[in-house]
Amino acid sequence: MSVKKVLWGMSVLRSMKPVHDNSEINIGIIGPEALVDQIKVTLKSFPNFKPYFGIIKPGTIISEVAKELMYDVDVLMFTEYHLYNLAKQFLDFSIPVHHVPLMGTGLYRSLFLIKNNHGLKRLSIDTIEKKYVEKILVELVEEDYELMVFRHPSKTPLISDIVSFHVENHEIKGAIALTGIQEVYTLLTEMKIPCEWVTPTQQDMIVSLERALLATETRRNKESQIVFGLINVDDFKKVTEKYHSEHDVQLFKLNIQQMLLDYIKQLDGHLINLGGEEYSFITTRGIFERETRGYKFIPLLQETNNAMGITLSIGVGFGMTAAEAGSHARLALRQAKDSGGDVCYIVRENRSVLGPVDITTNTQYERYDLAITDAELLDRAEKAGMSASYMTKLMARVERYGIVDYTAQELASTLNITVRSAHRILLKWMDAELVDIVGEEKLTHKGRPRRIYRLSFTMDEKVQ
């Protein structure tokens, strides 16, 4: 039997690689299914990443999984340190390779759980740095404790060695096991040994993915790419009607421009007043991504609302040339306006749309294409009496909330449209056999029951 097979003896279920998109960065994620499922949720906040996965199960040769993925991706991410360590023993990587470190909020959470359930007097730990554990124990006001750290002469110890270490320390000293390896946790649990599996929190994963994003060559090549933005004051004419003199209107415009100048200064950009209620700005992609935290944070939207009682629509365009970026910014602004304003949308090089960009850090984007080539989707859109791009936009927004059953009132709220418009859309979709009536909602007060519609066409798309 080869040394590799003796090490962990695991097997992999590898997902199919999606079609490569030059506007996106391919990232390989390697880890146990539980952590991969967790990081899939976090990846929704990173629209530039195109992920595909190596799911680790008992029987895999880790180095072979990594070798298969490394030629197809721009960066590799291991969800567990010991998987990262194993791969590094056998492979020389030509791309950035990262792991999710167990030193942040995930470690704190595990120690807090042990403190509540067992106390922190004696701990046996593996794959976790002792100094990080000690630092958190100080914060938890623990003084009288003993740490037993797994040490092994081999850089690639067997799982059985690690399990034996924890079992021995529990039987002799009553130590509680703290492990960073799912397989160790599973075996200890089966043996009724008290233990805690340290898993990264979403915040830990966000930090790791941000580091991976900045490390890729693809990203470095795009650092200096031109970004063109358009800012439009929503309902500008209506807003200025409350001022009684032209002098006050001009002061109002100057205050708006000052706020915009302050924000564009943060982007190291250049602001241009296009006249009236519209402004444009130019910056570079690297700075824009850093200041928006990967398209998740645009405080300008809330700041102008709080300070001046106005809302903005922002369209941002990426492109290989300044002209292309400007054209895409206009398309993005149109998406923001169609959504009711007070949002930012981005149109990328391939004319795909990202948005809305919220001020929160847990954004889950709508993604849809402005250029539609899917013949079946075009046919469906034609039957429903709407453009294919608008239909994909609605599908993306519905998918963002993960719900396919709606009343007309709920759909109106989700799509940010009137109830009348929602009824009109549903009737068109029913005529095109894109939705089904699956029940009625009984109201607590008097009135007709509301029909519940299932958007079956969105489910069909997911199956494909």
Side-chain angles (χ1 to χ4, degrees), residues 48 210 213-214 218-228 261-270 281-299 316-318 346 357:
N48 271 359
E210 285 176 346
L213 178 67
L214 294 174
T218 305
R219 174 57 40 231
R220 292 195 297 269
N221 291 339
K222 291 184 178 180
E223 284 279 301
S224 59
Q225 187 181 34
I226 290 294
V227 169
F228 194 90
L261 281 169
D262 290 342
Y263 180 68
I264 300 306
K265 183 180 179 180
Q266 297 177 28
L267 299 177
D268 284 343
H270 181 68
F281 67 88
I282 300 172
T283 185
T284 57
R285 187 160 178 172
I287 294 173
F288 181 75
E289 288 187 347
R290 283 192 291 273
E291 289 299 320
T292 59
R293 302 178 189 174
Y295 319 139
K296 300 188 290 292
F297 184 75
I298 298 188
V316 176
F318 298 161
I346 298 170
V357 179

Side-chain angles (χ1 to χ4, degrees), residues 46-191:
F46 290 83
N48 271 359
F49 277 138
K50 193 75 170 180
Y52 47 107
F53 308 95
I55 310 296
I56 302 303
K57 289 193 173 184
T60 298
I61 301 172
I62 306 301
S63 57
E64 290 187 1
V65 179
K67 189 174 182 179
E68 283 187 59
L69 290 179
M70 65 183 282
Y71 296 114
D72 299 326
V73 299
D74 303 302
V75 60
L76 267 179
M77 172 76 73
F78 292 87
T79 62
E80 292 186 335
Y81 172 76
H82 80 103
L83 300 179
Y84 164 84
N85 185 48
L86 275 173
K88 293 282 281 187
Q89 300 300 317
F90 295 96
L91 295 174
D92 293 323
F93 292 99
S94 58
I95 59 174
V97 182
H98 297 257
H99 70 276
V100 182
L102 297 177
M103 61 182 187
T105 53
L107 179 57
Y108 196 104
R109 176 182 60 192
S110 295
L111 287 170
F112 185 78
L113 290 172
I114 292 177
K115 179 181 176 70
N116 286 343
N117 296 328
H118 308 285
L120 294 170
K121 298 303 179 185
R122 294 179 180 84
L123 297 176
S124 61
I125 60 178
D126 68 66
T127 68
I128 302 164
E129 284 291 334
K130 180 181 178 182
K131 61 181 179 180
Y132 296 128
V133 176
E134 291 176 332
K135 181 180 178 181
I136 294 176
L137 290 176
V138 170
E139 294 177 356
L140 292 174
V141 198
E142 292 290 335
E143 297 178 354
D144 182 21
Y145 61 83
E146 182 181 359
L147 297 181
M148 288 136 273
V149 183
F150 178 77
R151 306 290 186 194
H152 198 275
S154 170
K155 292 184 178 180
T156 54
L158 298 176
I159 288 289
S160 58
D161 293 331
I162 301 175
V163 171
S164 297
F165 163 79
H166 288 298
V167 172
E168 182 179 346
N169 279 285
H170 176 69
E171 292 178 346
I172 296 175
K173 297 185 177 182
I176 308 301
L178 187 68
T179 180
I181 305 173
Q182 184 190 35
E183 189 174 356
V184 171
Y185 171 77
T186 301
L187 292 171
L188 290 174
T189 301
E190 291 174 354
M191 299 168 69

Side-chain angles (χ1 to χ4, degrees), residues 339 366 394 397-398 400-401 403 406-423 425-426 450:
S339 296
E366 301 163 15
L394 294 182
R397 186 165 295 184
V398 169
R400 180 188 184 199
Y401 296 94
I403 303 172
Y406 292 87
T407 64
Q409 289 75 12
E410 290 169 341
L411 187 65
S413 176
T414 299
L415 300 180
N416 195 26
I417 58 178
T418 65
V419 176
R420 178 176 295 181
S421 296
H423 276 296
I425 289 174
L426 286 167
R450 295 173 177 174

